[in-house]
Amino acid sequence: MDIFYPKKRRIMQLLILAVLTVFFAITPAAQADMVQVGEPIVTPGWDLSLPSIAETYKDYFMIGNVMSTYQTTDGELTAMYKHHYNLVTAENDMKPQYLSPVKGLYYFINADTLIRWAEANNIKVHGHTLVWHSQSAAWLTTGADGNPLTRAEARANMEEYITNVAGHFRGKVISWDVVNEAFADGSGLPADWKDALRKDSPWYLAYENGADQSKGESGADYIYDAFVFTRLTDPEATLFYNDYNETDSWKREAMAMMAEELNAKWKTDKRNTQPDRLLIEVLGMQAHYWTASLNVYAVEAAITRFIKAGVKVAVTELDIPYGSWTNQHSTPLTEEEELLQARLYAQLFKVYKQYAPHIERVSFWGKADSQSWRAKGSPLLFDRTFAAKQAYYAVIDPEGFLRANP
Ligand code: XIL
């Protein structure tokens, strides 16, 4: 019989203390993520027997998603993509940073691989994006000393870049996000849309450098130039302005005012050979929402404001992570949370269907939660095992879903 000496007991106590310390040092979120004893290990797999999203919406609008070139060799992913989507946006591969990292060099190999994949699978391609303050190429706008180029230099670079890039992809893309995210965060309702622009964008700064204010020139002029260069290079492509927080009343107003003004200007521009055609044809709603703050009435208000501006509307980057910007979620969703998220997807698609004649497409920004740029909030229709979430069923039949889950 073992006698429990005080010394041995002290060692046991220390051991238990050490185990408990390690256990509580792991965050509750990480504990929740650990595989539970008895929980089956699921190999992710796509279920192709589910109704196709694109087929469900074939009489309403195109349904898109994102791809990266490295994913194009994945046969199962490709089969799933063809099943659910008829449009693709390159998640990163067609951004200036990757297409032309230094002046004079154009690197099209990755984007071309993605485009060949799309062609082989009968999927249309949306070009994303030509002019943006982020993931851009410094040579376009900024000197070696870090200072903005002059207006004339930046304009020449923009023309060179757009002529090369939109020229290369001419006939291969159906549309372009010509300018992305030009408006600042948290402005008020502007009297002039130009006041609400992101003044620290390297494009704005360069165009401001040498602008003749007496002629009404300003940093804002880069936007019109970008659309005109793209139209002249690829007249077949539909041209988009794309932005996020488009549901904020000031931003939807600024976006609409910009489209109205630049479209009016284009009407009398000597370079315009199609007087009945708009320059900015589509306002893209990125639709990067949060479950905590998404207001479907504000989505509808943005859609109706854009229609009033005379343009078409596109939902370009839809995802709805659980939580909010300041309170992000970090575990897989509970059933209740999944349901709340799904109801929002159902409400959104109900609105999209209602305005379908004006809506050009709805594109999601990610295929499965684990692959999302905002994976933490499990924002998409398919979970990390690629199984359909409640949100998928909500999208497939929004009215039925809301009736069953009021
Ligand atoms: C994101 C990609 O999803 C990420 O992989 C990348 O690291 C950063 O950019 N608005 C846009 C998209 O227009 O290009 C962004 O994509 C998401 C926000």
Side-chain angles (χ1 to χ4, degrees), residues 91-92 95 128 132 135 180-181 242 286 288 317 365 373:
E91 182 163 4
N92 288 295
K95 294 174 179 172
H128 175 78
W132 190 20
Q135 291 183 284
N180 199 30
E181 303 179 352
N242 193 45
Q286 288 190 1
H288 288 303
E317 308 185 8
W365 204 252
W373 75 306

Side-chain angles (χ1 to χ4, degrees), residues 174-177 231 236-240 277 281-282 360:
I174 58 162
S175 48
W176 272 109
D177 285 330
R231 171 58 51 77
E236 300 296 314
T238 305
L239 305 188
F240 285 45
R277 184 164 172 212
E281 299 172 289
V282 180
E360 212 258 351

Side-chain angles (χ1 to χ4, degrees), residues 240-346:
F240 285 45
Y241 173 79
N242 193 45
D243 215 327
Y244 62 90
N245 287 354
E246 71 288 340
T247 43
D248 286 359
S249 55
W250 71 268
K251 203 187 257 192
R252 69 179 183 241
E253 192 55 34
M255 287 169 71
M257 284 160 72
M258 177 189 69
E260 285 163 351
E261 186 177 316
L262 299 188
N263 281 338
K265 183 170 171 175
W266 179 239
K267 253 198 166 328
T268 57
D269 192 311
K270 286 193 195 64
R271 293 165 294 181
N272 181 2
T273 55
Q274 298 169 289
D276 294 334
R277 184 164 172 212
L278 299 178
L279 181 64
I280 301 178
E281 299 172 289
V282 180
L283 285 174
M285 312 173 69
Q286 288 190 1
H288 288 303
Y289 302 131
W290 292 99
T291 57
S293 52
L294 172 56
N295 172 356
V296 181
Y297 294 108
V299 175
E300 188 171 358
I303 293 172
T304 52
R305 179 64 185 92
F306 296 161
I307 293 171
K308 199 172 142 228
V311 299
K312 285 226 160 190
V313 181
V315 179
T316 53
E317 308 185 8
L318 176 59
D319 59 6
I320 322 178
Y322 196 88
S324 66
W325 174 254
T326 47
N327 183 18
Q328 302 197 17
H329 209 268
S330 56
T331 55
L333 306 186
T334 63
E335 261 175 52
E336 206 177 302
E337 290 164 345
E338 239 196 65
L339 194 60
L340 187 148
Q341 179 189 54
R343 273 198 212 97
L344 291 171
Y345 269 108

